[in-house]
Amino acid sequence: FVLDRSDSLPREATETFLQYVRDAADAKRPDDTLGMVVFAKESRIESLPSPTFVPMEVHSVTSGSQTDIAGALRLAMAAFPPGSGKRIVLFSDGAENRGKALEEARAAAAARVAIDVFKVIPPLGDEVLVENVVVPSDVKRGEAFNVTTILRSSVTQDAALTLLENGE
């Protein structure tokens, strides 16, 4: 099991995932081995694969400001016991900002490692996003022109938009 502990995920998500892992541990066959990797900026082995693994809580500390899914997948693949069937269950919002998870997933597939993904969608706060600003590519000095702005908001609200050129 590979658990995202980055700042983009609410801490309650960890308990949801741990309950999923506990349920999987209860349903496993006697010869199955389970282990856990936790990650954010760096990855840590929380528990090496073992037939007696039952997660109670996460003890590993990671720097939550970044998300390196690729590094976590690499570490999980390296932790598999030789000759075992290999499956990774990834629990993440997918908001990576380090590494290249897709490349690592392709390497996992080539090594016959199955990856199941539980995508967590964190709740949005009251946010406004400037999605796009469109301006003409060529304007003559003193010529009037249109600026089109596309804004997205997670809630209905009034907003004021100020457009500045050189601070004016």
Side-chain angles (χ1 to χ4, degrees):
F1 297 97
V2 178
L3 172 62
D4 186 341
R5 298 277 291 169
S6 64
D7 293 342
S8 63
L9 284 178
R11 287 297 168 215
E12 328 52 272
T14 297
E15 185 52 41
T16 300
F17 180 69
L18 288 176
Q19 187 56 54
Y20 172 84
V21 176
R22 287 183 203 109
D23 293 344
D26 289 343
K28 77 175 188 62
R29 296 178 305 224
D31 58 338
D32 287 343
T33 59
L34 304 176
M36 186 169 17
V37 168
V38 297
F39 73 97
K41 181 179 178 181
E42 61 278 329
S43 301
R44 305 265 189 261
I45 294 178
E46 180 72 19
S47 175
L48 286 168
S50 162
T52 59
F53 169 69
V54 178
M56 299 312 286
E57 58 187 66
V58 174
H59 298 284
S60 297
V61 176
T62 57
S63 172
S65 62
Q66 294 183 321
T67 304
D68 185 359
I69 298 170
L73 294 175
R74 264 192 315 280
L75 183 59
M77 287 190 295
F80 283 122
S84 65
K86 297 170 177 65
R87 175 175 299 278
I88 293 172
V89 178
L90 173 64
F91 188 80
S92 176
D93 60 1
E96 71 176 337
N97 50 21
R98 288 177 60 106
K100 296 189 186 304
L102 186 56
E103 288 179 13
E104 209 57 47
R106 286 186 183 123
R112 305 184 80 171
V113 176
I115 300 177
D116 295 323
V117 178
F118 283 79
K119 182 161 181 166
V120 179
I121 301 172
L124 292 175
D126 296 349
E127 294 185 357
V128 176
L129 166 72
V130 177
E131 190 170 277
N132 199 1
V133 178
V134 180
V135 295
S137 60
D138 187 32
V139 177
K140 294 183 174 106
R141 182 177 288 270
E143 178 182 17
F145 61 94
N146 291 324
V147 175
T148 303
T149 306
I150 299 173
L151 304 172
R152 301 266 182 223
S153 178
S154 61
V155 296
T156 301
Q157 60 183 314
D158 292 331
L161 178 65
T162 305
L163 182 64
L164 303 174
E165 178 188 14
N166 297 326
E168 296 182 21

